[in-house]
Amino acid sequence: MSRGSGKGLSLKDKLDGNELDLSLCDLNEVPVRELAALPKATILDLSCNNLISLPSDFCSLMHLVKLDLSKNRLQQLPLDFGRLVNLQHLDLLNNRLVTLPVSFAQLKNLKWLDLKDNPLDPVLAKVAGDCLDEKQCKQAAVKVLQHMKAIQSEQDRQRQRKLQAEREMEKKREAEQRAKEAQERELRKREKAEEKERRRREYDAQKAAKQEMEKKTKKETVHTRKPASSSRPPQPPRHKPSWSRSVLRVLLFVLFCILCTLAACKLTELQHQPLCVSVNTLYEDVVAALQNHKMLQNMLQHNSQQ
């Protein structure tokens, strides 16, 4: 094994039974792959090296029972350090650790722990206490595990509260969406009912106007027939007066249409349309003919008087 790289020399040469001593090797990184090939090495000494951090795959060395990382420059442990579930003895003396990963609470078999000479968070330092003898180091392991379990439980509760809040928020959004959709449906239903009612009123108004018109027409017909019945005897056949009234109505309707057409062609913007031009020309010709006819009658009348 060459200095700094941890490669070059077989680790088997340093293996003594189940103990592998890699202390004072000036290591900058941990040879995890080579260590994984030695599952018998349950005791690993990496003290007095230049380790700043441990790789994440270091936590795959689950066969470790005793681990010495003292007198390095470790600033933090891997987040999944708790995977080393068989670890019973852990020495982290004289490093640069401030906190421990929450997964540390999973080291249920940990019996011995030394965290002295680290710039620990004041709360964690107070929990860990000193590790000046075997009893204190064992107490440190128990207290730190309890402390980390409490932190893990609190984080789990916070995560559950967050998930619950997110679920409540999602339910609230869904309820608001359903209420909005129901409101939109109710609005469309109300608009549809209002439109139907408006059309019904228009229909009733048209029907009432039609009935009023029929009554008015019937009254006019009755008034028109009454003088005729007083001046002349009743006509035996009924179909003849009915036929004559129909002809009269048709003539009146035609005359009304002619007058409307003349009015439209004289008084509106339609007077420049080709049809209206023809109608106006015909009207003027008829008026001129009538005037000529009247003048001729006046002349004849004057001559006859002389």
Side-chain angles (χ1 to χ4, degrees), residues 5-41:
S5 64
K7 298 179 181 178
L9 181 64
S10 175
L11 297 184
K12 291 182 180 181
D13 297 335
K14 290 183 172 292
L15 183 61
D16 183 11
N18 65 340
E19 183 175 354
L20 181 60
D21 188 358
L22 297 180
S23 62
L24 299 170
C25 290
D26 198 22
L27 295 177
N28 294 320
E29 59 183 26
V30 180
V32 176
R33 184 175 299 178
E34 290 81 356
L35 291 173
L38 298 173
K40 293 182 180 181

Side-chain angles (χ1 to χ4, degrees), residues 21 56 71 101 137 152 179 194 208 214 246 253 267 292 304-305:
D21 188 358
S56 59
K71 297 181 181 179
C137 292
Q152 186 181 48
E194 290 175 355
E214 290 177 353
S246 298
F253 179 76
L267 302 177
N292 291 335
S304 62
Q305 289 178 357

